[in-house]
Structures are given as C-alpha cells and as structure tokens.
C-alpha cells in the first residue's frame, strides 16, 4: 500500500487510501528539526487493520532520513512509540 505525503509551510499529512476508507496522520512543524504529530484518524471501515501504525512507521522512517525529531502529541502516535522502543531515537 502506498502512503501519500502532503507537505505545507507549517505542517502536512500522511494519507493511506483504500477502496474502503482512509487513514490520515497530520503533523505541524516546530522549526527546521522537529515535527509534532497532531492527530491520527482512521475511517471506521478500515479500523483495526494496522493502517494507523503504517502511517507512524512511515513518519519515523522519513524523519530519520531527514535527521528530524518527533513529538507525538497525538494519543495514538504516543501509544505506538510506547509499543516500539526501537523508535526512541526519533523522539525529541
């Protein structure tokens, strides 16, 4: 499945679309080196299929490549970071 990335001046979002629904994670930029994951939403029809986790995994991979750090304010994102201690290097 493909995760689409939409970038803006102050933030952006990652979107995973399927025939049945979509999952979206939004983020804000806090300077040049920090992103704040604000919100994750998964349509009811595709909830529980791991799409939210896929979005967070993609953000972690992208921010590592860009040498940026993440602040997971979104409760879902924060719970994913607790479940994946191997992502700790990406945290601010």
């Amino acid at each position: 499945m493909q995760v689409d990335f939409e970038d803006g001046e102050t933030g952006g979002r990652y979107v995973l679309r399927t025939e049945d629904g979509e999952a979206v994670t939004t983020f804000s930029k806090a300077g040049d080196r920090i992103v704040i994951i604000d919100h994750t939403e998964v349509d009811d029809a595709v909830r529980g299929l791991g799409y939210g986790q896929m979005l967070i995994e993609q953000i972690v991979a992208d921010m590592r490549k860009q040498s940026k750090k993440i602040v997971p304010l979104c409760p879902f994102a924060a719970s994913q970071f607790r479940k994946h201690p191997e992502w700790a290097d990406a945290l601010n």
Side-chain angles (χ1 to χ4, degrees):
M1 267 182 225
Q2 179 179 330
V3 175
D4 295 321
F5 173 65
E6 300 170 7
D7 193 20
E9 188 175 322
T10 61
R13 65 190 204 146
Y14 285 77
V15 183
L16 191 154
R17 293 178 179 90
T18 72
E19 289 181 11
D20 299 318
E22 67 180 27
V24 179
T25 297
T26 61
F27 66 90
S28 299
K29 297 176 183 177
D32 293 335
R33 294 281 171 223
I34 297 173
V35 296
I36 301 166
I37 299 176
D38 305 307
H39 182 69
T40 300
E41 186 169 340
V42 179
D43 288 342
D44 288 341
V46 294
R47 189 163 287 159
L49 299 177
Y51 296 156
Q53 180 178 333
M54 289 174 65
L55 292 173
I56 305 302
E57 288 174 347
Q58 186 66 54
I59 294 169
V60 169
D62 288 354
M63 295 308 112
R64 281 176 171 160
K65 288 178 190 171
Q66 298 173 36
S67 298
K68 294 183 180 181
K69 297 293 183 177
I70 299 168
V71 176
L73 288 185
C74 161
F76 175 78
S79 73
Q80 289 299 307
F81 273 91
R82 285 190 298 274
K83 291 177 185 176
H84 296 276
E86 68 274 16
W87 297 349
D89 65 296
L91 288 171
N92 185 47

